Amino acid sequence: MTTHPQIPPQDTDGPGPWWREAVLYQIYPRSFADSNGDGIGDLRGIISRLDHLRDGTPSSLGVDALWLSPFYPSPQADFGYDISDYQDVDPVYGTLADFDELVVEAHRRGLRVVVDLVMNHTSTEHPWFTESRSSRANPKRNWYIWADPAPDGGPPNNWLSAFEKCGPAWTLDPATGQYYLHSFTPGQPDLNWREPAVREAMRKVWRFWLDRGVDGFRADVAHRLLKDERLRDNPPELAPARRHVSVPGMRQRQLDLPEVHDVLRELREVLDSYPGLDGSLAEGRFVLGEVPISDDSRLADYFGGEGMHTVFHIAFWEQPWEGAAFRRTVDGLLAAMRPGSWPTYALATHDISRTVSRFGGWGPARAAAVIMLTLPGTPCVYYGEEIGMADAPPPAGLERDVDGRDGQRTPMQWDASGKGFGTGTPWLAPGPDAGRANVEAQRDDSESMLGLYRRLIRYRGGSAALRRGGYRSLDSSGDSYVYLRQAAGELLLVAVNFRHVPAQVEITGVDLPAAGRIELSTHAGRAGATVPLGPLALGPLEAVVVRLADGVPTDPGATAAPSKGPAA
């Protein structure tokens, strides 16, 4: 039997930090809901649809917090990730008053609000950069990273933009004769975080949004904030890499440097000085990091200590549709991370192809939803995943995004007509699956994708084992992934069949009762059934949550306080 990592339950003597038990929901504002008919989603559109996320009844999705992708003023070189003013709202999305109303309305429903924090770079149209490029003697020159050309007149070193279409990570500014660094598009010059004035200016940005009531930040590309001070070339083995690669004994010069953690500790100190919704510092604000690092041991350095509270487990959404792959990547991070750390899981984002498209249909997407919402960590649902939206890339020649991500950013499909999004022509065409993958069609169907997400989120909210319980993965036959979640008085077994045919799953290496009760299944008619566990019969692509007899001896970690019991 292979030994795999296990984690103990959280201490449940009292309420823990809200984010550890929350279900997050990502909104791409441009594509969620359009209130004024211009074809672009906006803040008032989001306000009008908050009840879909949480209205206090089982008819809503039941999530706990929303994460807003950038809505700041921007020339849209990278659709909002090129910010020209950190302390305002782009007029296409509304006003600061609209944002304030959104926070109030979200909080009234028990929803926290998390906003994107883009610290690595600004827009070339930001006043800071306008000053910086005006002359080499300008006081803000050192706010960005400038360098003389190489002897041949080319870029200062061999660093590449993360976007293939953008070539090198350097652009020459003819007026001053130097190159500026941009990790992404030439419209996104990198800030120089070694400059104290930059750090002070960004602290003001953090406080600006915290003072307006936001409950936390999602830190964009948090691993890129500091670059090699000497701007040395990457080693030849790493030179072709546009994003993080892991090579033993080597480190890329423009990302994942140890000094990054100094900045993240500063951010954490500011966050820790702000109370949460209940007025206590213990309730607090939080920061979720985007750290696209493939090496678990390095990723583990970014969360659970004095820096960010949690990070996306990037490898989770990079796996093939294989049970062993999912088990390996989940267990790998659990083994590497600090005790008490808490990762965040997502199946898709604005940067990642949608689950239905990536895994080939609703069957795998339904099973994947069960995995994401039953693992030990904070799940994050990307808008439209709850109705099974697929990628819908535009026809050749009509692409809008510099990195080919239009397909996963199409407008939310509220109904088959598209008018639920807004009355104007949407900025991207809805997907061809809108007739089936829409909220209106699934709203009253308990077995739909939306029905499944509602059941999963509601069940999770009532289950101490899923919110904060221990975890232990189990050896099992076939193409499956099986694990236990446990709190005192509540022992759940989660089992997923990754094959498109029925399976008899043998579970070994642990003493289990002869049978258990199915609490949730991706297949209709199975909930409530008592099923034998040796072996466990699963249908094609079926995922189940099985309740085992309370108090059965097992050891996925220490026990926790008694559960209230899952919601029906």
Side-chain angles (χ1 to χ4, degrees):
M1 182 184 71
T2 304
T3 300
H4 289 274
Q6 56 192 49
I7 64 167
Q10 299 178 53
D11 180 3
T12 56
D13 290 340
W18 65 268
W19 54 270
R20 290 182 73 109
E21 299 188 12
V23 177
L24 307 181
Y25 185 92
Q26 182 191 357
I27 291 176
Y28 193 66
R30 196 174 187 87
S31 294
F32 196 64
D34 170 23
S35 70
N36 60 7
D38 66 357
I40 298 174
D42 47 49
L43 298 182
R44 299 210 67 79
I46 295 171
I47 293 169
S48 73
R49 293 294 188 175
L50 287 176
D51 283 347
H52 170 71
L53 305 181
R54 188 181 186 94
D55 70 358
T57 75
S59 64
S60 71
L61 196 56
V63 297
D64 304 287
L66 57 92
W67 153 33
L68 297 175
S69 292
F71 50 83
Y72 316 102
S74 166
Q76 306 297 320
D78 188 17
F79 284 103
Y81 284 89
D82 51 316
I83 296 171
S84 56
D85 185 346
Y86 280 107
Q87 297 180 199
D88 206 349
V89 172
D90 194 301
V92 77
Y93 298 126
T95 65
L96 276 173
D98 293 331
F99 179 83
D100 292 340
E101 183 178 345
L102 171 57
V103 171
V104 169
E105 287 299 317
H107 285 171
R108 187 170 66 82
R109 291 166 171 81
L111 280 166
R112 266 77 173 192
V113 178
V114 176
V115 301
D116 239 311
L117 185 62
V118 184
M119 300 187 288
N120 179 71
H121 47 265
T122 69
S123 166
T124 51
E125 295 186 16
H126 196 291
W128 298 346
F129 188 73
T130 301
E131 287 191 50
S132 183
R133 80 186 313 176
S134 65
S135 80
R136 294 194 185 196
N138 187 274
K140 285 190 170 62
R141 185 68 171 184
N142 201 43
W143 283 41
Y144 294 83
I145 300 173
W146 294 91
D148 291 330
D152 64 359
N157 62 28
N158 64 359
W159 300 352
L160 299 176
S161 163
F163 296 154
E164 188 170 355
K165 290 182 179 179
C166 295
W170 297 92
T171 288
L172 179 66
D173 181 52
T176 59
Q178 285 189 313
Y179 282 83
Y180 65 86
L181 178 68
H182 53 85
S183 295
F184 298 94
T185 72
Q188 295 167 279
D190 283 23
L191 286 162
N192 177 15
W193 276 88
R194 298 184 188 279
E195 169 57 55
V198 168
R199 296 193 182 204
E200 178 58 31
M202 198 57 71
R203 280 194 289 270
K204 292 178 181 177
V205 171
W206 303 341
R207 294 186 181 280
F208 178 84
W209 293 105
L210 291 168
D211 289 342
R212 299 195 92 86
V214 304
D215 300 282
F217 299 115
R218 177 264 193 185
D220 185 58
V221 293
H223 64 316
R224 285 188 177 267
L225 299 180
L226 271 292
K227 283 79 177 175
D228 179 62
E229 195 166 15
R230 293 160 56 190
L231 303 181
R232 291 170 290 179
D233 277 349
N234 277 321
E237 296 89 339
L238 302 177
R242 294 186 175 276
R243 304 186 187 188
H244 177 268
V245 294
S246 183
V247 175
M250 295 186 185
R251 189 181 292 268
Q252 288 157 280
R253 306 286 193 186
Q254 76 278 32
L255 50 81
D256 189 28
L257 300 188
E259 304 98 300
V260 166
H261 300 285
D262 295 335
V263 175
L264 298 176
R265 280 190 287 271
E266 289 179 26
L267 172 59
R268 177 66 175 271
E269 289 172 2
V270 171
L271 284 163
D272 286 350
S273 70
Y274 278 79
L277 281 178
D278 69 352
S280 73
L281 290 175
E283 168 76 5
R285 319 289 177 97
F286 97 125
V287 59
L288 160 64
E290 182 207 23
V291 184
I293 288 180
S294 56
D295 184 325
D296 285 336
S297 63
R298 290 192 187 179
L299 181 62
D301 289 338
Y302 281 85
F303 69 114
E306 297 177 338
M308 295 184 292
H309 295 85
T310 179
V311 299
F312 281 113
H313 189 192
I314 301 293
F316 180 72
W317 61 54
E318 295 177 340
Q319 299 311 303
W321 186 245
E322 298 171 2
F326 271 79
R327 181 185 185 182
R328 185 168 54 248
T329 194
V330 170
D331 287 1
L333 182 59
L334 293 180
M337 69 188 193
R338 298 180 177 94
S341 295
W342 201 244
T344 292
Y345 294 101
L347 292 169
T349 72
H350 62 296
D351 289 328
I352 305 299
S353 178
R354 288 191 176 275
T355 314
V356 167
S357 298
R358 212 166 65 251
F359 293 144
W362 277 25
R366 289 169 68 88
V370 172
I371 298 172
M372 178 182 69
L373 284 154
T374 59
L375 285 175
T378 298
C380 182
V381 180
Y382 183 46
Y383 85 94
E385 287 288 291
E386 76 272 28
I387 53 173
M389 283 176 59
D391 291 349
L398 296 179
E399 299 91 350
R400 304 283 299 277
D401 179 58
V402 67
D403 203 38
R405 298 164 294 184
D406 294 320
Q408 57 262 37
R409 299 176 176 187
T410 53
M412 178 67 173
Q413 293 166 185
W414 296 102
D415 56 28
S417 72
K419 296 302 181 185
F421 171 72
T423 57
T425 301
W427 76 285
L428 286 174
D433 61 349
R436 178 190 185 201
N438 74 74
V439 173
E440 186 177 72
Q442 298 182 31
R443 181 178 289 117
D444 299 323
D445 181 0
S446 63
E447 297 301 329
S448 66
M449 186 76 81
L450 179 57
L452 174 66
Y453 266 89
R454 286 170 172 165
R455 291 200 310 277
L456 278 166
I457 292 170
R458 188 166 181 240
Y459 189 89
R460 179 187 178 90
S463 167
L466 294 184
R467 293 194 322 276
R468 58 180 72 169
Y471 164 93
R472 177 182 176 185
S473 67
L474 304 177
D475 293 323
S476 58
S477 64
D479 191 1
S480 62
Y481 178 25
V482 181
Y483 48 94
L484 292 171
R485 300 297 316 278
Q486 182 186 21
E490 185 184 6
L491 181 60
L492 302 177
L493 181 140
V494 181
V496 183
N497 174 20
F498 282 70
R499 299 188 64 193
H500 291 254
V501 296
Q504 297 288 324
V505 178
E506 297 279 359
I507 303 168
T508 58
V510 65
D511 292 329
L512 294 174
R517 179 183 185 273
I518 293 181
E519 301 283 271
L520 282 165
S521 171
T522 53
H523 288 204
R526 291 268 276 166
T530 298
V531 293
L533 300 179
L536 173 61
L538 294 177
L541 299 171
E542 185 178 14
V544 295
V545 178
V546 179
R547 175 178 282 275
L548 308 183
D550 289 349
V552 171
T554 188
D555 187 26
T559 57
S563 164
K564 295 181 294 184

